[in-house]
Amino acid sequence: MTKPHLRITILGLNYAPEPSGNAPYTTSLAEGLFAAGHSVHVVTGYPHYPEWDLRAGYTGWMKTEIINGVTVKRLRHHIPRHPTPLGRLHMELSFGFRLMFARWQKPDVVLVVSPALFSCALAILRIRLRPNRPAVGIWIQDLYSRGVSETGTGGRRSAQLATSLESTILNAADGVAAIHERFKRHMVVSLGVPENRVEVIRNWTHLPTSPTSGIAEMRTQLGWASSDIVVLHAGNMGKKQGLENVIEAARIAGARGSSVRFVLMGDGNQRRRLEELARDVPNITFVDPLPGHTFQVALAAADVLLVNELPGVKDMAVPSKLTSYFNAGVPVMAATDSDSVTAHEIETSGGGVRVDAAVPLALVETAESLAREPAIAARMVENALRFRHETLSESAAVAHYDEFITSLASSRGR
């Protein structure tokens, strides 16, 4: 049977050249579907993440690019100087209203990416109002309702409102792609989405094999001594990461005369505040985001890669950094609640060790322990690489999305 050639439009706020968050996944999926023979059109925002500032070189009200065969239409939107909940809502709605009136190239299937959920809602509304409408799927990277509940944003009534709204939006789609089985369970049990409309498709490692050369030079370039036990946190510095814990751990390491050195690499809405808190703290440094290959070398040059989460964060997100960490050939330490999605990933993969969230001494002692016991660290690395190849394969994930999107098209007679 001949495989159908589909016209696919992907709607999402984030896309390349943004280096972290959802953008790498949306980008590699679009390019993978194009390589599979589909016509792919992306409507996205202007690059701004994780620094929350408009990327240099992007001007005007709208911009169209061709990136690796994919047509990418960018719509200008509000970018909050300080990404508070209201600022983020303003951004999502401004992008969503632009989506309402943009041209989508007459697709057979529309895939909307959340976040941004409120932009998704407006896009789905437009689709549902059209006669002979295309199929619509929604790709859930974060659960808004769990985020409101777990971070304490707005209190109980806000959490109830977010749950009701998220349920309505997900049920308005023809199919939902969830990045973890825990997400699917929440959607079915708490949000009332029919189980047969939710497909679990894992995020994948979008990076090539980790480099093996240039590691010593990278440590020298970043000022890391050979005797330092470098614990690197790479990625967004936001509220849900709870990185005050890391600053306190660095303070403890300094007081103990420990060789453990913490490095926060990346950007985010909490970075300036964290730098202020760490002003007189030894054993901690901040590094700006690094591009592509250099980023990979920096990961490989660390001794431990850190995931740090605010206590109470359990089901709202699967840290995207884990897919990069498991590729790096370095053991992972996760400061997270014992029943969180992150803890489940660490246990399932065997690629790291979990410590309790917001217990800074545990970060120091665990890093010291991994440095003393290289055989244990090596076993974690071996497990992580196996998990990366068997579970986090990009080709398998893109093929799964191809099947998911094709089934949506069939359901609408496309």
Side-chain angles (χ1 to χ4, degrees):
M1 181 177 178
T2 303
K3 180 182 173 183
H5 169 90
L6 297 172
R7 298 184 301 272
I8 301 169
T9 293
I10 300 176
L11 310 177
L13 186 56
N14 304 100
Y15 200 79
E18 293 179 340
S20 58
N22 299 331
Y25 299 108
T26 305
T27 304
S28 55
L29 176 60
E31 294 177 0
L33 292 172
F34 172 79
H38 301 292
S39 174
V40 183
H41 180 77
V42 173
V43 185
T44 188
Y46 274 46
H48 65 278
Y49 186 84
E51 60 272 23
W52 294 97
D53 194 16
L54 182 65
R55 184 71 58 91
Y58 285 86
T59 59
W61 189 238
M62 186 175 71
K63 182 180 180 69
T64 300
E65 305 171 276
I66 304 293
I67 303 177
N68 294 328
V70 177
T71 301
V72 180
K73 178 186 289 185
R74 298 188 186 274
L75 306 176
R76 188 71 173 265
H77 54 84
H78 171 70
I79 300 173
R81 184 177 299 274
H82 303 290
T84 61
L86 282 178
R88 289 172 182 262
L89 178 61
H90 185 184
M91 177 180 67
E92 291 195 20
L93 291 176
S94 69
F95 178 63
F97 279 115
R98 299 263 356 242
L99 284 178
M100 291 280 285
F101 301 101
R103 296 186 64 183
W104 293 1
Q105 304 299 312
K106 298 181 179 179
D108 299 307
V109 180
V110 176
L111 181 67
V112 292
V113 184
S114 178
L117 185 67
F118 297 100
S119 300
C120 293
L122 292 171
I124 292 173
L125 175 62
R126 168 178 163 171
I127 294 167
R128 301 288 296 193
L129 292 175
R130 289 181 58 184
N132 192 30
R133 67 173 179 85
V136 57
I138 184 167
W139 181 7
I140 299 297
Q141 292 280 354
D142 287 346
L143 289 167
Y144 271 54
S145 54
R146 295 304 301 160
V148 171
S149 175
E150 292 176 3
T151 61
T153 305
R156 182 179 176 184
R157 293 199 62 178
S158 293
Q160 291 173 335
L161 178 61
T163 298
S164 177
L165 181 62
E166 193 166 37
S167 173
T168 300
I169 295 169
L170 267 56
N171 277 286
D174 297 305
V176 181
I179 64 170
H180 199 276
E181 189 63 43
R182 288 266 289 264
F183 278 28
K184 176 175 181 176
R185 186 175 68 191
H186 178 74
M187 292 172 187
V188 173
V189 174
S190 301
L191 301 180
V193 182
E195 186 170 5
N196 63 356
R197 283 165 55 188
V198 183
E199 190 78 14
V200 177
I201 311 177
R202 299 287 302 255
N203 278 347
W204 57 91
T205 297
H206 52 81
L207 298 174
T209 301
S210 183
T212 56
S213 61
I215 292 173
E217 293 81 357
M218 176 60 70
R219 286 183 72 100
T220 300
Q221 180 182 328
L222 293 173
W224 304 346
S226 58
S227 58
D228 288 338
I229 305 169
V230 175
V231 179
L232 173 63
H233 178 282
N236 187 44
M237 302 181 200
K239 183 175 179 180
K240 70 183 179 184
Q241 281 75 35
L243 292 168
E244 297 82 359
N245 182 49
V246 180
I247 293 171
E248 186 56 33
R251 195 188 309 274
I252 292 170
R256 286 161 58 104
S258 174
S259 297
V260 175
R261 177 174 182 172
F262 293 91
V263 179
L264 301 182
M265 182 173 75
D267 211 333
N269 65 341
Q270 295 295 305
R271 174 164 172 169
R272 302 295 170 259
R273 176 175 172 272
L274 293 166
E275 287 176 322
E276 285 296 318
L277 292 174
R279 182 181 295 276
D280 299 317
V281 179
N283 295 52
I284 189 166
T285 54
F286 289 77
V287 176
D288 289 337
L290 297 175
H293 179 75
T294 308
F295 169 77
Q296 283 193 268
V297 177
L299 293 187
D303 298 290
V304 180
L305 296 173
L306 174 64
V307 180
N308 198 85
E309 293 184 327
L310 194 70
V313 169
K314 297 179 181 180
D315 290 319
M316 65 179 287
V318 181
S320 59
K321 62 173 58 68
L322 278 177
T323 60
S324 300
Y325 282 7
F326 289 153
N327 187 59
V330 176
V332 177
M333 175 166 55
T336 183
D337 287 355
S338 61
D339 56 348
S340 69
V341 171
T342 301
H344 178 270
E345 292 295 276
I346 294 296
E347 180 180 1
T348 301
S349 67
V353 59
R354 188 200 72 83
V355 300
D356 288 337
V359 182
L361 178 60
L363 297 182
V364 179
E365 292 180 337
T366 302
E368 291 173 339
S369 175
L370 287 171
R372 286 194 306 268
E373 302 183 70
I376 293 177
R379 189 157 59 248
M380 291 177 182
V381 168
E382 182 181 350
N383 292 338
L385 291 173
R386 183 184 304 111
F387 188 74
R388 176 255 190 271
H389 288 293
E390 294 178 357
T391 306
L392 304 179
S393 161
E394 178 175 349
S395 60
V398 172
H400 199 164
Y401 271 105
D402 195 343
E403 294 173 3
F404 172 69
I405 289 169
T406 300
S407 70
L408 291 180
S410 298
S411 73
R412 295 295 304 169
R414 295 278 178 161

